[in-house]
Amino acid sequence: MKKIYTLECCVDSVESAVRAKEGGADRLELCANLVIGGTTPTLALFEQIRETVDIRIHALIRPRFGDFLYSSHETEIICREIRAFRQAGAEGVVIGALKPDGSLDVERMKRFIDCAGGMSVTLHRAFDMCRDPFAALQQAKELGVNTILTSGQAPSCVAGLSRMKELAAAAGGDITILAGAGINADAVKTLLAQTTLTAFHMSGKKVLSSGMTYRNPDVSMGLPGMSEYEIWQTDPQNVRAVRSLLDNAALSSI
C-alpha cells in the first residue's frame, strides 16, 4: 500500500509561503517572528497568503516568546485568536500549554480545542518541553489532537532519533508524529531510513541581505547578536529537495 507523506513548511511572510508552495509543500504552518521560534501571525498576513497561494494553512497560536505557562489573560487571548482564525477559514491551529510542573495543561487544551471547533489541531513543541512525553502523548490522544510536532525532546529530530522512534510506536495510528527541528534533505534521508515517520516540518530558510543601501552603523534595533539587515525566507530548492525524497519514498512503498 502506497504511503502518504506530508511536508509542512513554517513561514512568516507571503514571500516564504509562495516559495514553500513552489517547492512542493503540502501545507503551511503560518507564524510571525520565526527568528524567536514563532508567535501568532496577523489575520492580515493570513488573508494575503490565502489570496495569493492555494495551500492548506495551519495558524500557530502563541501570544508571546518564552515558556508555555499561560496566565488567564493570555488564555483568553489564545481562545480569541483560535476563534478568529477559524472564522477566517484556516484549516488548522497549532497550540499548546503546560503546567508549572511540566505536564500538559489538559484543561486549557480542552478550552483551546473547543474554540477550534472542527479544525485540525497540532500540539506544538510545548510537547518537547514537557516532563513526560509519553504521558503527554496519551493525553493528546484523549483530547483528540491530530498531530504532535516534536524533535523527540532533542535539539534536532536527528539528535532525538531514538525518542522519535519510540513516540511513533506509541502514537500508532491514533495521532501523527510530525518531525521538526533541523529538517532538511540530509535529515529526512536519515529519518526515512531509520523510522516509520511520514510527516515532516521545515522552514527551508535561507538568509537574504536587506535591500537597504544606507545602514546606520551606530544604531541597532535587532535582537542581540542578530542583524536587522538579514531577512529569513523559505528557499524553494530546500523544500523541493525534501519533497523529492518523500515522493520517491512513496513510490517505493507501493
Side-chain angles (χ1 to χ4, degrees):
M1 182 177 179
K2 183 178 180 180
K3 286 186 177 180
I4 297 174
Y5 290 90
T6 300
L7 178 57
E8 176 181 273
C9 279
C10 52
V11 302
D12 61 3
S13 69
V14 180
E15 291 78 9
S16 284
V18 170
R19 286 158 177 76
K21 174 66 183 298
E22 180 185 340
D26 297 297
R27 68 171 183 250
L28 306 176
E29 183 198 89
L30 181 59
C31 317
N33 302 309
L34 273 174
V35 70
I36 55 172
T39 56
T40 306
T42 65
L43 282 171
L45 177 59
F46 169 82
E47 290 164 354
Q48 188 68 28
I49 290 175
R50 179 48 44 97
E51 292 172 7
T52 307
V53 180
D54 179 18
I55 193 169
R56 185 179 179 91
I57 302 173
H58 291 187
L60 173 67
I61 310 296
R62 185 186 180 203
R64 58 164 171 78
F65 169 77
D67 65 30
F68 303 102
L69 178 63
Y70 294 121
S71 70
S72 58
H73 292 300
E74 289 170 331
T75 298
E76 292 304 321
I77 290 168
I78 291 170
C79 288
R80 289 187 181 195
E81 294 281 17
I82 292 170
R83 288 192 291 265
F85 277 100
R86 185 188 70 199
Q87 291 166 6
E91 286 83 5
V93 285
V94 184
I95 55 176
L98 299 179
K99 292 182 178 180
D101 65 0
S103 62
L104 191 66
D105 192 331
V106 172
E107 292 309 312
R108 277 185 167 81
M109 287 293 293
K110 284 180 180 177
R111 285 195 61 190
F112 299 161
I113 291 169
D114 285 344
C115 292
M119 300 168 79
S120 179
V121 173
T122 296
L123 170 57
H124 59 43
R125 292 189 66 208
F127 179 84
D128 282 331
M129 307 304 287
C130 72
R131 175 179 291 182
D132 184 341
F134 296 99
L137 172 60
Q138 182 58 40
Q139 290 169 325
K141 285 184 182 182
E142 294 168 0
L143 286 165
V145 168
N146 303 100
T147 302
I148 295 175
L149 172 60
T150 178
S151 64
Q153 295 198 315
S156 73
C157 54
V158 173
L161 184 63
S162 295
R163 178 62 57 83
M164 294 293 288
K165 290 181 182 179
E166 294 171 348
L167 290 169
D174 298 324
I175 197 165
T176 298
I177 299 298
L178 176 62
I183 289 291
N184 55 29
D186 288 339
V188 169
K189 287 177 185 176
T190 298
L191 293 169
L192 288 174
Q194 300 188 40
T195 76
T196 59
L197 295 168
T198 58
F200 303 88
H201 169 99
M202 70 184 298
S203 68
K205 75 175 187 301
K206 62 179 177 181
V207 180
L208 305 177
S209 179
S210 165
M212 290 293 298
T213 54
Y214 172 72
R215 303 185 180 191
N216 189 334
D218 299 320
V219 180
S220 175
M221 299 184 69
L223 293 171
M226 300 196 71
S227 171
E228 60 265 40
Y229 297 111
E230 292 181 351
I231 299 170
W232 289 15
Q233 194 172 99
T234 299
D235 184 340
Q237 293 183 359
N238 292 336
V239 180
R240 194 175 294 115
V242 172
R243 178 79 270 166
S244 178
L245 289 170
L246 300 184
D247 289 346
N248 288 338
L251 288 172
S252 298
S253 69
I254 297 174

